[in-house]
Amino acid sequence: MLLSGKKIDNVEQAAMLYAESWHQIDYHYRKFIFHYRETGQNSVLGELKEKVLKEYSNKWLLQINNKLQDKMNDVDEWIYKSQKAQVQFLKIM
């Protein structure tokens, strides 16, 4: 699993890891769901969809949420003041 053994030190690191590679899990999940719906073969692909949904929800979302929530609880102020924050994007350019 992508998160297994991966230690998250802070919220900003988690955001960086997501931007670098973890976003691909969400991308491929959404791509699967899109194509699943497009096929109209719910009875044929239903079991596969349920397996994918369980893997995504239980082994991806739940794990990343738990790891990230621990770090969010430690944050006194949000990272929006960071040089890498999205609200700073146009100011950096």
Side-chain angles (χ1 to χ4, degrees), residues 35-52:
H35 288 290
Y36 166 79
R37 289 177 180 161
E38 288 292 305
T39 66
Q41 299 295 319
N42 295 359
S43 60
V44 174
L45 297 173
E47 189 176 331
L48 175 61
K49 180 202 157 235
E50 288 304 312
K51 286 182 181 181
V52 169

Side-chain angles (χ1 to χ4, degrees), residues 33-82:
I33 294 298
F34 172 80
H35 288 290
Y36 166 79
R37 289 177 180 161
E38 288 292 305
T39 66
Q41 299 295 319
N42 295 359
S43 60
V44 174
L45 297 173
E47 189 176 331
L48 175 61
K49 180 202 157 235
E50 288 304 312
K51 286 182 181 181
V52 169
L53 179 61
K54 285 181 184 178
E55 287 289 316
Y56 178 77
S57 298
N58 297 332
K59 293 189 178 176
W60 168 245
L61 288 181
L62 189 58
Q63 281 188 33
I64 199 167
N65 180 62
N66 289 342
K67 287 183 179 224
L68 189 55
Q69 187 62 54
D70 290 341
K71 298 306 168 191
M72 295 292 292
N73 292 341
D74 296 337
V75 173
D76 291 329
E77 64 179 20
W78 191 236
I79 62 171
Y80 70 90
K81 294 182 181 178
S82 166

Side-chain angles (χ1 to χ4, degrees), residues 1-6 63 67:
M1 177 77 223
L2 192 58
L3 291 174
S4 295
K6 187 66 178 173
Q63 281 188 33
K67 287 183 179 224

